[in-house]
């Protein structure tokens, strides 16, 4: 009977370690997902800033060729 109890305790210990490992992996995954979301939000913000800068430069440019080039680049 002592042997069986020892085997069961080993199984419990292994299960606890596996659970702890799984929880660590979940925490790492959550951190990675948050980092990805932050990065995406940051890139979207930069794209909006660049689009606003292009619009500002186009509207304030007196050179017709520059305006045409910008419009062509935007369309493509």
């Amino acid at each position: 009977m002592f042997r069986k109890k020892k085997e069961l305790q080993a199984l419990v210990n292994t299960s606890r370690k596996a659970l702890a490992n799984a929880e660590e992996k979940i925490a790492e995954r959550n951190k990675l997902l948050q980092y990805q979301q932050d990065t995406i939000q940051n890139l979207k913000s930069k794209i909006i800033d660049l689009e606003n800068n292009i619009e500002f430069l186009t509207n304030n440019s007196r050179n017709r060729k520059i305006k045409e080039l910008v419009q062509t680049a935007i369309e493509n």
Side-chain angles (χ1 to χ4, degrees):
M1 186 175 271
F2 180 70
R3 186 176 190 189
K4 188 169 188 167
K5 183 177 178 182
K6 198 173 186 180
E7 289 173 359
L8 290 175
Q9 187 61 46
L11 181 60
V12 168
N13 291 342
T14 302
S15 296
R16 286 179 179 162
K17 287 179 185 177
L19 177 61
N21 188 26
E23 288 173 344
E24 286 178 15
K25 287 183 179 182
I26 290 170
E28 289 175 17
R29 184 205 64 182
N30 289 343
K31 287 179 187 177
L32 178 60
L33 288 174
Q34 185 61 47
Y35 175 76
Q36 288 175 336
Q37 290 173 349
D38 292 346
T39 301
I40 289 169
Q41 186 61 37
N42 188 17
L43 290 174
K44 285 181 179 180
S45 176
K46 287 182 180 183
I47 289 170
I48 290 170
D49 288 344
L50 289 171
E51 289 172 341
N52 290 338
N53 288 343
I54 289 170
E55 184 178 354
F56 177 77
L57 291 172
T58 303
N59 290 339
N60 291 321
S61 175
R62 290 192 170 110
N63 190 331
R64 188 176 295 169
K65 288 184 180 181
I66 291 176
K67 286 184 179 184
E68 291 173 3
L69 285 172
V70 171
Q71 289 301 325
T72 304
I74 291 172
E75 292 170 0
N76 294 330

